[in-house]
Amino acid sequence: MTATATLDAFNTLAGNTLAGNTLASNTLAAAARLLEEAMHAVEHDVAQARDRIVQVRDLLLYRSPEKAAPEAVRGGLAPWQARRVTALIERRLDGTLCNEDLAIEAKLSTSHFCTAFRQTFGMSPHAFIISRRVERAKALMLDTDDALAEIADACGFADQAHFSRLFRQTTGSSPANWRRANAIDVSLIA
């Protein structure tokens, strides 16, 4: 089946078959759009094509490929605080981050910040940072041929062993096995 035929099939499903199910229809429409972007990107930007295909996979497996902006939770962080804190985390993901720095960014005491962060994100700041580091490592493993030790360093892990241990705890697979299992063969796309 050609890429165009696949997109036509997705559009048919999104428009007709699932007209009564708005969520499924929106998911398939988004998947079709992402596949079309991947089809155009594969000729000049393989990394972008791979990114779009991973997003389609996540959509079809009912995982959101993009983090929705956190909504205000009673007792949690205000939306502006959540945005500032997550932006700081993303900027400094490759280095050290402490709760005090995050609390200062949110203009709260450390104790109050940790409680509010947990209420907003459903996990501690430390767990959130680890999950973001693992997600960045996944992206690097798919987009580059860098050694795992280099990826561990680029994502702020102490060393490759620390990276491997936390990656396995988070995903259930070692980084090397995950990389092999999720590698996209570009020759199959064209």
Side-chain angles (χ1 to χ4, degrees), residues 6-158:
T6 303
L7 288 173
D8 290 342
F10 263 92
N11 287 328
T12 301
L13 281 172
N16 298 331
T17 310
L18 298 170
N21 186 342
T22 305
L23 179 61
S25 178
N26 289 343
T27 300
L28 286 176
R33 179 184 50 78
L34 290 167
L35 284 174
E36 189 167 344
E37 289 175 13
M39 184 176 70
H40 294 296
V42 75
E43 296 171 5
H44 55 40
D45 190 350
V46 174
Q48 181 183 7
R50 181 181 296 128
D51 180 55
R52 296 301 184 265
I53 292 168
V54 168
Q55 288 177 349
V56 169
R57 180 196 65 200
D58 289 346
L59 271 174
L60 295 177
L61 294 175
Y62 302 105
R63 294 183 295 195
S64 174
E66 300 152 351
K67 299 269 187 222
E71 296 179 18
V73 176
R74 185 169 177 85
L77 297 173
W80 70 267
Q81 291 170 314
R83 279 191 305 273
R84 286 184 64 167
V85 168
T86 55
L88 177 64
I89 290 170
E90 292 300 321
R91 280 194 315 269
R92 295 187 31 202
L93 208 51
D94 60 343
T96 58
L97 284 161
C98 63
N99 289 340
E100 291 78 19
D101 293 341
L102 299 174
I104 289 169
E105 190 72 16
K107 300 184 187 300
L108 297 171
S109 70
T110 304
S111 174
H112 187 113
F113 167 75
C114 290
T115 302
F117 189 96
R118 185 179 292 276
Q119 287 175 330
T120 302
F121 292 99
M123 64 180 76
S124 69
H126 178 71
F128 183 83
I129 291 167
I130 295 301
S131 71
R132 292 303 308 134
R133 285 179 171 161
V134 168
E135 287 304 313
R136 181 172 288 177
K138 286 179 179 180
L140 289 173
M141 284 191 287
L142 292 177
D143 294 339
T144 68
D145 292 329
D146 292 349
L148 293 178
E150 293 172 2
I151 290 173
D153 185 53
C155 295
F157 292 101

